[in-house]
Amino acid sequence: MLNLRDAKAFSGFSVKDIPQAKKFYQHVLGLNVSEENGILFLHLADRSGVLLYPKDNHQPATYTVLNFPVADVEKAVDELSKNGVQFEHYDDPAYRTDAKGISRDNGGPTIAWFKDPSGNILSVLEEM
């Protein structure tokens, strides 16, 4: 029987433009990235990676594709906002956000959602 327990798995999602994604993830979010054969790799702190691939008919994900745990969500929102990141605002009682786009005390972690240039949803959330 195949056992994938020790496989170094990684996730991936599509973007509409690799150079635009590279600029955003590297310069706006400050991630280490590499590019090979038109595919972008995000190198995360825990040594895992995320593969971003171009797709001509890209449709943004309607769910959060990547979460960044941070010690202080409000501070992260303030710093990312200075870099031009715009945070999403939701009025749903399950995850209502405040004026900064931060969802607090809604039965889950403190979290704020934003989109990459391709419209994929990302978040910064309170470390658990």
Side-chain angles (χ1 to χ4, degrees):
M1 182 168 110
L2 176 64
N3 182 342
L4 297 177
R5 177 180 50 235
D6 296 322
K8 295 187 180 187
F10 60 92
S11 65
F13 55 90
S14 71
V15 295
K16 59 185 171 187
D17 183 270
I18 291 294
Q20 185 183 44
K22 182 176 183 179
K23 182 179 177 183
F24 177 78
Y25 285 96
Q26 185 173 33
H27 298 293
V28 176
L29 300 187
L31 298 181
N32 291 322
V33 304
S34 61
E35 186 178 351
E36 188 175 320
N37 298 320
I39 295 175
L40 187 65
F41 297 91
L42 308 180
H43 305 282
L44 305 177
D46 66 354
R47 303 239 187 254
S48 65
V50 178
L51 174 135
L52 277 59
Y53 56 92
K55 188 173 179 186
D56 290 336
N57 60 347
H58 167 76
Q59 293 294 314
T62 58
Y63 52 88
T64 308
V65 296
L66 193 55
N67 296 285
F68 295 97
V70 296
D72 185 332
V73 171
E74 186 151 359
K75 182 177 178 182
V77 166
D78 290 344
E79 290 181 21
L80 288 169
S81 294
K82 288 178 190 174
N83 285 342
V85 173
Q86 295 182 348
F87 285 84
E88 299 298 299
H89 294 273
Y90 300 110
D91 195 30
D92 187 303
Y95 46 88
R96 183 172 284 122
T97 55
D98 63 16
K100 286 187 173 186
I102 301 172
S103 176
R104 311 168 198 264
D105 304 320
N106 288 318
T110 300
I111 186 168
W113 294 275
F114 60 100
K115 293 181 179 177
D116 74 1
S118 294
N120 295 309
I121 302 169
L122 314 172
S123 83
V124 287
L125 75 155
E126 185 178 84
E127 288 180 313
M128 304 182 94

